[in-house]
Amino acid sequence: MTSTQPALEFPLPGGTRVDTALLQTRAYPHLRYMGSKYRLLPTLANVFAQLGGETALDPFTGSGVVSYLLKAQGFHVTSRDYLNFPVVLARASLVNQTTMLTSEDVEQISRGQNRDGRDFISTTYGGLYFTPEDLAFLDSAWSQIATMRGARRDLAIASLVLAAARKQPRGVFTVTGLRYDDGRESLHLPLADQFRRCAEAWNSSVFEGPACQTERGDVSSAEGSWDLVYLDPPYAPPRDDNDYIKRYWFLEGLSDYWQDGTAEIMEKTGTKKLVKRPTAFGSKRTIGGALAATLEQFSGSSIVLSYGSNAVPDLDTLTGLIADVKGSRPEVITLRHRYHFGTHASANRREAEEYILIAP
Ligand SMILES: C[S@@+](CC[C@H](N)C(=O)[O-])C[C@H]1O[C@@H](n2cnc3c(N)ncnc32)[C@H](O)[C@@H]1O
């Protein structure tokens, strides 16, 4: 990734706060997530430091890594997503200030003892994704987690979600076979062992900082005012829709045990996935209006918007939308970005530019 345009007018600081915050983000567990900004953190950290402020909203939180960076930079962060599992990850590592899973917690969950005989995951997903032992582990782990409360429960669920994501090739649940098995150890480690590692990783991420909160919901229902708002919506592709639930529905189901076994499942699909959750940001037909409304909603805050060159609308339209609500065009940083999620069909779209639009 290289900066092709030193677009910021103000000098980038080498301040210790930025450096210290970036060091802290190294403790954040890596979840492969479409559109995640792990590699943009140094640039974002400098932008956030320049804009300053005390409160920040991250309403498309995803993996949660940008919220975590903002907390490390001293902001009181409100983190949101319309999916449940990103909210659980944020509660475990952002809202949580001091609590960790104990070794007894981890042992209790990973031992595989099923407290109440539940088997929703084993019976629904038998023959798909995981071995029978791994599926049985997920049921038994949830039978233990069901007795836990507060931050320890969030950390345990976050560990289960991360373990399942790491055991699935490319971290997505769109295919059932091992077509993308590249022999990595993490794909073969029993899920109970993977869980232990992930529990250690989430524990290491816990740090004390400004009070933060997390909410589940559509961006349009975010209520409050913030000094800084970081917008990282789904990038609407020129063809097809951008649908997070299509890729991550298993993690979503796992984060609340398929709403205690009541979630609506598409029984006729080979994967038995959860039903789609359409969002106006997922489609080229509706994203323009959704972006305009979101920018208007946060026009009183400093806005930082992430977007990609391989998506709709284009850069000129985006800067125009921001000018409409802010009265002037934003600064733009352009970074070359290599996407991990290209398939063969979209290989020509793998190389793209990543924009960061800044409107103080
Ligand atoms: C590009 S990802 C965010 C990535 C994140 N910044 C990171 O670094 O991991 C977009 C996120 O927006 C969420 N999302 C999609 N539509 C939404 C909506 N209408 N309101 C709130 N969240 C939404 C998705 O669930 C997804 O997690």
Side-chain angles (χ1 to χ4, degrees), residues 232-246:
D232 189 14
Y235 300 174
R239 286 174 292 280
D240 200 9
D241 284 355
N242 188 348
D243 189 77
Y244 276 80
I245 209 76
K246 189 165 84 189

Side-chain angles (χ1 to χ4, degrees), residues 33-38 58-66 80-83 86 217-220 230 232-235 244 279-281:
Y33 195 64
M34 180 171 63
S36 72
K37 297 297 180 289
Y38 291 89
D58 178 16
F60 302 96
T61 198
S63 71
V65 71
V66 179
R80 281 175 78 91
D81 203 282
Y82 85 143
L83 296 183
D218 196 278
V219 61
S220 58
Y230 173 59
D232 189 14
Y235 300 174
Y244 276 80
T279 157
F281 297 90

